[in-house]
Amino acid sequence: MTDVGVTDVPAVQLAKLMERIRLCRVCVDSPSGAPLPHAPRPVVRAEVSAKIAICGQAPGTRVHRSGIPFTDPSGDRLRAWMGVDAATFYDARRIAIVPMGFCFPGLDAKGSDRPPRKECAPLWRDQVFAALPDLELVLAVGRYAIGWHLPERRRQTLGQTVRDWRCVLGEARMGPMVLPLPHPSWRNSAWLQANGWFEDDLLPVLRNRVAALL
């Protein structure tokens, strides 16, 4: 049997971590509040060589069924924002996908997705990011991810933080650069139409940075 090389150790450790995540049942067996109303199906992708991490909210109904993140129109829009095709987007060697909640949280009384489960982020996120040594850019997509990755801006609205994206990129911080983004959901189409600077000013910077890292 061949010994695992020193350079392979981080990859092996991350693979073991991802396996533990995929077996996680804390939101059913030891929930914070009401348990998850269905069987857990964590949806997360990461390999140690990833330079970009996409951090959204949590899987929706379609992703819960498929087990593949962003398999919906919001994923099409996000890929267009980034300027990447599906093959690149789903290449975990280059792009990690680490939502705030790994499992579909269920629907509320109005039929909308519930917020990410409270158990998930404190239990797993620090471990995942500690296992990504080459990470250089985090796309914080939506208010839950922005609140986690940019805690100093939690008092701002999502719109205010995204408008301040130049200041955010210029702020000194440990770890990878963080770029705040609205969620690419159709629900934000009116906001996007009313804020033309997002497409004119922010998206070219996003695409350039993504291209440079890939």
Side-chain angles (χ1 to χ4, degrees):
M1 182 169 141
T2 304
D3 291 336
V4 175
V6 174
T7 57
D8 296 328
V9 170
V12 171
Q13 291 175 337
L14 178 57
K16 291 180 178 179
L17 173 61
M18 299 295 282
E19 182 61 24
R20 294 201 305 275
I21 289 172
R22 293 188 178 100
L23 295 174
C24 180
R25 290 181 49 85
V26 67
C27 54
V28 172
D29 297 338
S30 303
S32 173
L36 191 72
H38 49 259
R41 189 179 192 182
V43 179
V44 56
R45 293 175 172 233
E47 293 192 21
V48 291
S49 56
K51 293 184 178 295
I52 299 169
I54 298 170
C55 302
Q57 179 167 299
T61 53
R62 187 178 300 187
V63 173
H64 178 64
R65 289 193 298 268
S66 69
I68 303 172
F70 289 104
T71 50
D72 52 22
S74 67
D76 295 335
R77 175 179 270 175
L78 180 57
R79 286 184 281 276
W81 285 357
M82 297 172 65
V84 299
D85 59 17
T88 302
F89 185 84
Y90 289 115
D91 185 351
R93 297 169 300 176
R94 296 191 279 181
I95 298 177
I97 301 178
V98 189
M100 290 302 301
F102 297 159
C103 291
F104 170 52
L107 301 175
D108 62 21
K110 296 180 180 179
S112 299
D113 290 356
R114 293 183 180 277
R117 296 288 305 191
K118 293 181 179 180
E119 304 92 343
C120 197
L123 182 60
W124 296 117
R125 286 179 65 79
D126 284 345
Q127 294 185 68
V128 172
F129 283 97
L132 298 175
D134 294 338
L135 201 61
E136 296 189 36
L137 176 65
V138 169
L139 304 183
V141 182
R143 68 186 181 94
Y144 294 102
I146 289 172
W148 178 276
H149 290 280
L150 298 170
E152 68 278 9
R153 292 181 174 271
R154 280 180 178 153
R155 293 185 180 182
Q156 291 184 316
T157 65
L158 182 147
Q160 288 172 330
T161 303
V162 176
R163 286 188 188 95
D164 287 346
W165 63 273
R166 290 186 180 88
C167 295
V168 173
L169 288 181
E171 289 171 354
R173 60 169 51 84
M174 297 294 292
M177 181 181 298
V178 179
L179 181 61
L181 298 173
H183 197 279
S185 166
W186 62 268
R187 293 182 178 85
N188 286 328
S189 293
W191 185 91
L192 293 168
Q193 291 174 358
N195 293 273
W197 55 264
F198 178 81
E199 183 171 353
D200 295 340
D201 300 334
L202 190 155
L203 289 189
V205 172
L206 168 61
R207 290 171 185 147
N208 287 339
R209 301 215 174 202
V210 167
L213 291 173
L214 296 179

